[in-house]
Amino acid sequence: MILRSTALALTLLIAPPAPAAETRIDVAMSNFKFTPDTIRMKAGQAYVLHLTSTGGHSFGAATFFAAAKIAPADRAKISKGKIEVGAGQPVDIHLTAPAAGSYPVRCTHFLHASFGMTGKIVVS
Ligand SMILES: [Cu+2]
C-alpha cells in the first residue's frame, strides 16, 4: 500500500497533468465580412479567438459571449456583447466554448451587417 502510494506520488511529480491546450482561431474582419464567416468549435474545449481588422469593425456575438466561459483577464474587452477591433489592433479572447448550438455574429457598426458583415459560431 505504501509502495503503491509512493508510486502514485512519483507519477504525479513526474507527469503533472498538462493544461488543456488552446486552439487558436483567427478571424479577419474587413469591409464587409468576417473570414471565416463560420467559426467552428467543440463544446467545452479551450480556444483563443484572435481577431484582426483592416478597419473599424466590431465582433458582436452577445449570445455566444454570454454562454461561453471567458477568461477573467479578457472579460473587460467585451462590452455589451461585442468587441471593438481597430485596424492593426488585434484582440485575443481566451475562452471555453459553450454548449452546442449556432450563435450569430455580426458587426454592429452602422449598416455593416446589412452589407453582409455577419457570421456564426457553430459549436458541436
Ligand atoms: Cu464592420
Side-chain angles (χ1 to χ4, degrees):
M1 193 60 191
I2 290 169
L3 274 178
R4 238 173 100 188
S5 300
T6 306
L8 178 62
L10 280 175
T11 304
L12 291 174
L13 279 175
I14 294 165
E22 291 177 321
T23 301
R24 175 171 153 163
I25 297 179
D26 288 15
V27 180
M29 298 150 77
S30 57
N31 290 350
F32 292 96
K33 63 183 180 187
F34 295 97
T35 306
D37 62 1
T38 298
I39 299 160
R40 297 186 184 279
M41 296 183 179
K42 297 280 184 197
Q45 295 292 301
Y47 293 93
V48 184
L49 201 51
H50 180 74
L51 306 174
T52 56
S53 182
T54 56
H57 293 291
S58 74
F59 188 92
T63 56
F64 175 80
F65 288 136
K69 194 172 137 201
I70 310 296
D74 291 335
R75 283 178 196 154
K77 299 174 185 173
I78 304 166
S79 174
K80 296 176 181 167
K82 63 184 166 65
I83 300 166
E84 293 295 332
V85 184
Q89 297 174 305
V91 177
D92 283 345
I93 301 290
H94 299 254
L95 61 89
T96 303
S102 183
Y103 301 86
V105 175
R106 66 195 297 271
C107 178
T108 60
H109 288 209
F110 184 62
L111 291 179
H112 288 199
S114 60
F115 291 157
M117 199 162 179
T118 60
K120 63 187 173 195
I121 300 170
V122 177
V123 182
S124 58

